[in-house]
Amino acid sequence: MIEFHFKSDLIIDDISEYADWINRVVQSEGFSVGQVDYIFCTDEYLLELNMQYLNHDTLTDIITFDYTDGNRIAADIFISTERVKENADVFGVDFETELKRVMSHGVLHLAGYGDKNNAEKEVMRNKEEEKMLKIINKHSSIIHH
């Protein structure tokens, strides 16, 4: 089951469409979905987790706690919507495109893809693009308050 939790000003209008999309991303990599929770939060919230669990005193856009068991993907995926917004501006894309990239990035890590060196980063970026462009069928809107 894929669930969404909001601890920032982000609202996703059609969460069922996003859940279906993530389910297709997981299945396209040969896995099944266990319990996957996306928690959309602030920089401050994610920084606390980063310091508490990873001993990193830096801002990040995503932290994934992996509970995958064999072929069944399970995780808590925390995403800073503030980082996503800033990164969208830096990369010259809209917020929703960058959010989908980060959401797929978390799942791809769970499926075994890395991003520690240039070769891995290139594979990861290509996979992100594939998942964003080939799997999404409809457009959902995201609203900020």
Side-chain angles (χ1 to χ4, degrees):
M1 173 178 283
I2 299 166
E3 295 184 358
F4 301 96
H5 311 274
F6 302 94
K7 298 186 178 297
S8 70
D9 60 357
L10 177 75
I11 296 174
I12 297 178
D13 285 342
D14 188 356
I15 60 173
S16 64
E17 183 177 319
Y18 274 81
D20 289 345
W21 168 61
I22 292 298
N23 193 44
R24 289 191 306 271
V25 170
V26 169
Q27 290 177 353
S28 73
E29 290 298 323
F31 290 86
S32 63
V33 174
Q35 181 66 40
V36 177
D37 288 281
Y38 279 92
I39 301 93
F40 300 101
C41 57
T42 62
D43 275 347
E44 183 179 338
Y45 190 98
L46 201 53
L47 180 59
E48 287 269 326
L49 290 177
N50 210 6
M51 290 189 304
Q52 182 177 357
Y53 293 101
L54 303 175
N55 293 318
H56 297 157
D57 189 9
T58 56
L59 295 174
T60 186
D61 54 357
I62 186 170
I63 294 176
T64 302
F65 294 95
D66 185 358
Y67 311 121
T68 299
D69 184 17
N71 196 26
R72 183 173 293 274
I73 286 188
D76 291 329
I77 301 173
F78 292 84
I79 296 175
S80 167
T81 56
E82 291 171 291
R83 281 302 94 219
V84 170
K85 182 176 181 346
E86 188 170 301
N87 288 343
D89 292 342
V90 167
F91 299 137
V93 298
D94 62 63
F95 177 84
E96 189 168 3
T97 298
E98 182 62 11
L99 182 65
K100 289 174 182 173
R101 186 193 67 75
V102 173
M103 289 174 72
S104 63
H105 183 90
V107 171
L108 290 168
H109 269 308
L110 297 168
Y113 294 94
D115 58 3
K116 297 296 183 201
N117 60 49
N118 288 338
E120 287 181 350
K121 286 177 185 175
E122 183 177 345
V123 170
M124 177 67 84
R125 293 297 168 256
N126 289 337
K127 280 288 185 179
E128 291 167 358
E129 289 295 318
E130 171 191 320
K131 301 314 178 194
M132 290 180 355
L133 299 174
K134 293 183 180 176
I135 304 241
I136 297 172
N137 295 323
K138 294 181 0 184
H139 178 77
S140 287
S141 60
I142 295 174
I143 300 172
H144 287 100
H145 288 280

